[in-house]
Amino acid sequence: LPGPGKLIQYFLIQPITVRPLADTGLFQIVAGERRFRAVSLLQWEEIPCIVKDMTDEQAAAVMLAENVARADIDPIDEARAYHSRMTLFNWTVADCANHAGVSAVRIQFRLKLLNLRIDIQQLIRTGQLTVGYASILADAALDTDRQMIAFRRLRDNSAPTLGWFRRLVAELATEQNQATLFNTAGPLFGDYIPTKEETAPQIPPAP
């Protein structure tokens, strides 16, 4: 920090990128939101920017690339970013990978996190459940009750490992599949089929 009587010159290494919003006179930040927040704290009246005309889809692609490049990106926010673009623009996993500059496998694992309970998603966001353990849990497609059972056992284990947790989740998945099998009517047990005697016309007794 400058000492008394000294002046320091602040500047941006790279301008932010904005696009004009039609018929509003306003601009949307496409790249550089963090830089904009920083200069706002410095109470700048102006900020250097590059103005580009972009469609919604083009802007979404730039925003995705910039956000995923952040080291501290929230895995749930990242998953939602992929999901929203797949919904709005019919992007495939390959499209998301192309625009974000990451592997398709990473995107598939991130998307699976959205199938977890909301409270478990919040634990991921706050760092109380790491992505490694969360990915194992999400990949198993457990119901909400078994997801919580898995998390509680993980929480109560003083020295968990990924291998231990993978085995635990696999056991819960097997248990879930067996429960589904026995609760589902179908050819394994068969529907009740009446005998010929039961289906034969009943002759009323003689008066």
Side-chain angles (χ1 to χ4, degrees), residues 2 31 43 52 133 136 175:
Q43 299 181 343
K52 285 188 177 181
Y133 288 105
I136 293 172
E175 175 188 290

Side-chain angles (χ1 to χ4, degrees), residues 118-139:
I118 295 299
D119 49 359
I120 289 183
Q121 290 185 33
Q122 186 59 27
L123 292 171
I124 299 169
R125 298 188 72 142
T126 57
Q128 297 178 69
L129 180 62
T130 64
V131 173
Y133 288 105
S135 294
I136 293 172
L137 186 57
D139 200 37

Side-chain angles (χ1 to χ4, degrees), residues 45-56:
E45 294 182 359
E46 297 179 349
I47 179 172
C49 64
I50 298 169
V51 181
K52 285 188 177 181
D53 287 315
M54 297 184 190
T55 64
D56 290 345

Side-chain angles (χ1 to χ4, degrees), residues 8-149:
I8 185 168
Q9 181 68 42
Y10 294 99
F11 62 93
L12 285 180
I13 296 175
Q14 183 178 359
I16 68 172
T17 301
V18 300
R19 67 168 181 151
L21 297 177
D23 303 323
T24 65
L26 301 175
F27 294 86
Q28 179 187 31
I29 298 174
V30 176
E33 184 178 347
R34 286 187 157 194
R35 280 166 276 162
F36 178 78
R37 291 180 184 176
V39 299
S40 296
L41 292 174
L42 294 173
Q43 299 181 343
W44 284 18
E45 294 182 359
E46 297 179 349
I47 179 172
C49 64
I50 298 169
V51 181
K52 285 188 177 181
D53 287 315
M54 297 184 190
T55 64
D56 290 345
E57 185 170 0
Q58 289 170 334
V62 174
M63 291 176 185
L64 181 66
E66 180 173 74
N67 288 331
V68 172
R70 286 167 35 206
D72 63 343
I73 184 169
D74 179 336
I76 299 300
D77 281 346
E78 183 183 351
R80 288 175 179 168
Y82 298 136
H83 184 266
S84 66
R85 285 155 178 79
M86 294 173 78
T87 302
L88 290 172
F89 307 118
N90 293 319
W91 287 6
T92 62
V93 168
D95 292 330
C96 290
N98 245 358
H99 291 302
V102 297
S103 70
V105 172
R106 170 174 170 152
I107 292 172
Q108 289 168 338
F109 273 116
R110 289 294 189 269
L111 289 171
K112 286 180 181 180
L113 296 178
L114 299 180
N115 295 324
L116 295 173
R117 296 168 53 118
I118 295 299
D119 49 359
I120 289 183
Q121 290 185 33
Q122 186 59 27
L123 292 171
I124 299 169
R125 298 188 72 142
T126 57
Q128 297 178 69
L129 180 62
T130 64
V131 173
Y133 288 105
S135 294
I136 293 172
L137 186 57
D139 200 37
L142 297 178
D143 59 36
T144 55
D145 289 340
R146 287 181 175 83
Q147 287 176 28
M148 185 51 68
I149 290 171

Side-chain angles (χ1 to χ4, degrees), residues 1-8:
L1 293 176
K6 292 185 179 180
L7 177 66
I8 185 168

Side-chain angles (χ1 to χ4, degrees), residues 157-178:
N157 189 330
S158 59
T161 64
L162 289 175
W164 167 81
F165 191 62
R166 192 174 285 110
R167 289 190 296 274
L168 167 64
V169 169
E171 290 171 4
L172 291 170
T174 299
E175 175 188 290
Q176 176 175 288
N177 292 337
Q178 289 176 342

